[in-house]
Amino acid sequence: MSRLAGLFVQLQDAGRAALIPFMTAGDPSLTATVPLMHALVAVGADAIELGMPFSDPMADGPSIQRASERALARGVKLRMVLEWVREFRMTNSHTPIILMGYLNPVEAMGVTLFAEAAATAGVDGVILVDLAPEEGRGEAVVLQQHGIDPIFLLAPTSGPERVATVRSMGSGFVYYVSLRGITGATQADWAEVLQRVQDLRRQLGLPVAIGFGIRDAATVVRVAAGADAVVVGSALVDQLAECTTDQEATAAATRFIEPLAQAVRTTQRRGV
């Protein structure tokens, strides 16, 4: 059983959602990435989404855009991101790692070479934001052949045809974009979001993670009651952006994520 599948089985038995923080590789420094990953796990992250910096992150708001810009200015390349995952795996063999980014750097490396390198490093899932499911069957097959889950996004506007396509191709979980907008926005109707997630879970037969617009413990409690996983991205990236040393970054991540992890662990999921 894969790490992601095992995590969701374990949390299904526990009756709670997973907490998945997002951070951009190489931000706030080149040396902070691996210590931050370990710090997030230490305070309760169940899995980690690691952003692959890209020059045109079209689905991301200003916070993650700027984090990508800072990381690229430091010279971060895709192979460096994979090396950081490999280094993390030297002392952590159980926490799922999901890479999130855009198709261009993967195509530049070559999809097969990327899948081989990611699998060797210890990556569990890959989200390519601009890879439409209808056009991504080849990439999905290559990833799955290397034991990596291709994770697709669905949105409030996704119709039944796209849901059916994702059901036939995706694995690991499905990332539900809770807002009609970019990362970092906050105007979600959570009752509507959670009803949609319940419907998708029945249609897909896969865990459903909710992301976009989750910034505090109160929102985590509401979302964790109905989702299989809660993704926290821009709010954590904003915390890290203010840090000038690796020690500050680790302390800031710990302070921010710890109450969110506590909120997830004390919230019983409905419909489990």
Side-chain angles (χ1 to χ4, degrees), residues 234-270:
S234 296
L236 174 58
V237 170
D238 285 341
Q239 298 289 320
L240 298 176
E242 303 298 320
C243 300
T244 58
T245 68
D246 292 0
Q247 292 76 15
E248 284 182 16
T250 299
T254 297
R255 283 194 306 270
F256 182 72
I257 290 297
E258 195 164 24
L260 307 190
Q262 179 66 16
V264 165
R265 280 162 170 72
T266 56
T267 302
Q268 186 74 18
R269 277 183 48 218
R270 298 190 298 267

Coordinates of all heavy atoms in Angstrom, one line a residue, residues 234-270:
S234 N -1.3 29.5 1.4 CA -0.8 30.9 1.4 C -0.6 31.4 2.8 O 0.3 32.2 3.0 CB -1.9 31.8 0.7 OG -2.0 31.4 -0.7
A235 N -1.4 31.0 3.7 CA -1.3 31.6 5.1 C 0.0 31.2 5.7 O 0.7 32.0 6.4 CB -2.5 31.1 6.0
L236 N 0.5 29.9 5.5 CA 1.8 29.5 6.0 C 2.9 30.2 5.2 O 3.9 30.7 5.8 CB 1.9 28.0 5.8 CG 3.3 27.4 6.2 CD1 3.7 27.8 7.6 CD2 3.3 25.9 6.0
V237 N 2.8 30.3 3.9 CA 3.8 31.0 3.1 C 4.0 32.4 3.6 O 5.1 32.9 3.6 CB 3.4 30.9 1.6 CG1 4.3 31.8 0.8 CG2 3.5 29.5 1.1
D238 N 2.9 33.1 3.9 CA 3.0 34.5 4.4 C 3.8 34.5 5.7 O 4.5 35.5 5.9 CB 1.6 35.0 4.7 CG 0.8 35.4 3.4 OD1 1.5 35.6 2.4 OD2 -0.4 35.5 3.5
Q239 N 3.6 33.5 6.6 CA 4.3 33.5 7.8 C 5.8 33.4 7.6 O 6.7 34.0 8.2 CB 3.9 32.3 8.7 CG 2.4 32.4 9.1 CD 2.2 33.4 10.2 OE1 3.0 33.6 11.1 NE2 1.1 34.1 10.1
L240 N 6.2 32.5 6.6 CA 7.6 32.2 6.3 C 8.2 33.4 5.6 O 9.4 33.6 5.8 CB 7.7 31.0 5.5 CG 7.2 29.7 6.1 CD1 7.3 28.5 5.1 CD2 8.0 29.4 7.4
A241 N 7.5 34.2 4.9 CA 8.0 35.3 4.1 C 8.6 36.4 5.0 O 9.5 37.1 4.6 CB 6.9 35.9 3.2
E242 N 8.2 36.4 6.3 CA 8.7 37.4 7.2 C 10.0 37.0 7.9 O 10.6 37.8 8.6 CB 7.6 37.7 8.3 CG 6.3 38.2 7.7 CD 6.4 39.5 7.0 OE1 7.1 40.4 7.4 OE2 5.7 39.6 5.9
C243 N 10.4 35.8 7.6 CA 11.6 35.3 8.4 C 12.9 35.6 7.7 O 13.0 35.5 6.5 CB 11.4 33.8 8.6 SG 9.9 33.3 9.5
T244 N 13.9 35.9 8.5 CA 15.2 36.2 7.9 C 16.2 35.2 8.2 O 17.3 35.2 7.7 CB 15.7 37.6 8.5 OG1 15.7 37.5 9.9 CG2 14.8 38.7 8.1
T245 N 15.9 34.2 9.1 CA 16.9 33.1 9.4 C 16.1 31.8 9.4 O 14.9 31.8 9.5 CB 17.5 33.3 10.8 OG1 16.5 33.1 11.8 CG2 18.2 34.6 10.9
D246 N 16.8 30.7 9.2 CA 16.2 29.4 9.2 C 15.5 29.1 10.5 O 14.4 28.5 10.6 CB 17.2 28.3 8.9 CG 17.7 28.4 7.5 OD1 17.3 29.3 6.7 OD2 18.6 27.6 7.1
Q247 N 16.1 29.5 11.6 CA 15.6 29.3 13.0 C 14.2 30.1 13.1 O 13.3 29.5 13.7 CB 16.6 29.8 14.0 CG 17.8 28.9 14.1 CD 18.8 29.2 13.0 OE1 18.7 30.2 12.3 NE2 19.8 28.3 12.8
E248 N 14.2 31.3 12.6 CA 12.9 32.0 12.7 C 11.9 31.3 11.8 O 10.7 31.2 12.3 CB 13.1 33.4 12.1 CG 13.8 34.4 13.0 CD 13.9 35.8 12.4 OE1 13.2 36.0 11.4 OE2 14.7 36.6 12.9
A249 N 12.2 30.8 10.7 CA 11.3 30.1 9.8 C 10.7 28.9 10.5 O 9.5 28.6 10.5 CB 11.9 29.7 8.5
T250 N 11.6 28.1 11.1 CA 11.1 26.9 11.8 C 10.2 27.3 13.0 O 9.1 26.6 13.2 CB 12.3 26.1 12.3 OG1 13.1 25.7 11.2 CG2 11.9 24.8 13.1
A251 N 10.5 28.3 13.7 CA 9.7 28.7 14.8 C 8.4 29.2 14.4 O 7.3 29.0 14.9 CB 10.4 29.8 15.7
A252 N 8.4 30.0 13.3 CA 7.1 30.6 12.7 C 6.2 29.5 12.2 O 5.0 29.5 12.5 CB 7.4 31.6 11.6
A253 N 6.8 28.5 11.5 CA 6.0 27.4 11.0 C 5.4 26.6 12.1 O 4.2 26.2 12.1 CB 6.8 26.5 10.1
T254 N 6.2 26.4 13.2 CA 5.7 25.6 14.3 C 4.5 26.3 15.0 O 3.5 25.7 15.3 CB 6.8 25.4 15.3 OG1 7.8 24.6 14.7 CG2 6.4 24.7 16.6
R255 N 4.7 27.6 15.3 CA 3.6 28.4 15.9 C 2.4 28.4 15.1 O 1.3 28.3 15.7 CB 4.1 29.9 16.1 CG 5.1 30.1 17.3 CD 5.2 31.6 17.6 NE 5.5 32.3 16.4 CZ 6.8 32.6 16.0 NH1 7.8 32.2 16.7 NH2 7.0 33.4 15.0
F256 N 2.5 28.5 13.8 CA 1.3 28.6 13.0 C 0.6 27.3 12.8 O -0.7 27.2 12.9 CB 1.7 29.2 11.6 CG 0.5 29.4 10.7 CD1 -0.4 30.4 10.9 CD2 0.3 28.5 9.6 CE1 -1.5 30.6 10.1 CE2 -0.8 28.7 8.8 CZ -1.7 29.7 9.0
I257 N 1.3 26.2 12.5 CA 0.7 24.9 12.2 C 0.2 24.2 13.4 O -0.8 23.5 13.4 CB 1.7 24.1 11.4 CG1 1.9 24.7 10.0 CG2 1.2 22.6 11.3 CD1 0.6 24.7 9.2
E258 N 0.8 24.3 14.6 CA 0.5 23.6 15.8 C -1.0 23.7 16.1 O -1.7 22.7 16.3 CB 1.4 23.9 16.9 CG 1.3 22.9 18.1 CD 2.4 23.1 19.0 OE1 3.0 24.2 19.1 OE2 2.7 22.1 19.7
P259 N -1.6 24.9 16.2 CA -3.0 24.9 16.5 C -3.9 24.4 15.4 O -5.0 23.9 15.7 CB -3.3 26.4 16.8 CG -2.1 27.1 16.1 CD -1.0 26.2 16.2
L260 N -3.5 24.5 14.2 CA -4.3 23.9 13.1 C -4.3 22.4 13.2 O -5.3 21.7 13.0 CB -3.7 24.3 11.7 CG -3.5 25.8 11.5 CD1 -3.2 26.1 10.0 CD2 -4.8 26.6 11.9
A261 N -3.1 21.8 13.5 CA -3.0 20.4 13.7 C -3.9 19.9 14.9 O -4.6 18.9 14.8 CB -1.6 19.9 13.9
Q262 N -3.9 20.7 15.9 CA -4.8 20.4 17.1 C -6.2 20.4 16.7 O -7.1 19.6 17.1 CB -4.5 21.4 18.2 CG -5.3 21.1 19.5 CD -5.1 19.8 20.2 OE1 -4.0 19.2 19.9 NE2 -6.0 19.4 21.0
A263 N -6.6 21.4 15.9 CA -8.0 21.6 15.4 C -8.4 20.4 14.6 O -9.5 19.8 14.7 CB -8.1 22.8 14.6
V264 N -7.5 19.9 13.7 CA -7.8 18.7 12.9 C -8.0 17.5 13.8 O -9.0 16.7 13.6 CB -6.7 18.5 11.8 CG1 -6.8 17.1 11.3 CG2 -6.8 19.5 10.7
R265 N -7.1 17.3 14.7 CA -7.2 16.1 15.6 C -8.4 16.0 16.5 O -8.7 15.0 17.0 CB -5.9 16.0 16.3 CG -4.7 15.4 15.5 CD -3.4 15.7 16.0 NE -2.4 14.9 15.3 CZ -2.0 15.2 14.0 NH1 -2.5 16.2 13.4 NH2 -1.1 14.4 13.4
T266 N -9.0 17.2 16.8 CA -10.1 17.2 17.7 C -11.4 17.4 17.0 O -12.5 17.6 17.6 CB -9.9 18.3 18.7 OG1 -9.8 19.6 18.0 CG2 -8.7 18.1 19.6
T267 N -11.4 17.3 15.7 CA -12.6 17.4 14.9 C -13.0 16.1 14.3 O -12.3 15.5 13.5 CB -12.5 18.5 13.7 OG1 -12.1 19.7 14.3 CG2 -13.7 18.6 12.9
Q268 N -14.2 15.6 14.6 CA -14.7 14.3 14.1 C -15.3 14.6 12.8 O -16.2 15.5 12.6 CB -15.7 13.7 15.1 CG -16.2 12.3 14.7 CD -15.1 11.3 14.9 OE1 -14.2 11.5 15.7 NE2 -15.2 10.1 14.3
R269 N -14.9 13.8 11.8 CA -15.5 13.9 10.5 C -16.9 13.4 10.4 O -17.2 12.4 11.0 CB -14.7 13.2 9.4 CG -13.5 14.0 8.9 CD -12.8 13.2 7.8 NE -13.7 12.7 6.8 CZ -13.5 11.5 6.3 NH1 -12.5 10.7 6.6 NH2 -14.4 11.1 5.3
R270 N -17.8 14.1 9.7 CA -19.1 13.6 9.5 C -19.2 12.7 8.3 O -18.4 12.8 7.4 CB -20.1 14.8 9.2 CG -20.2 15.8 10.4 CD -21.3 16.8 10.1 NE -21.0 17.6 8.9 CZ -20.4 18.8 8.9 NH1 -20.0 19.3 10.0 NH2 -20.2 19.4 7.8

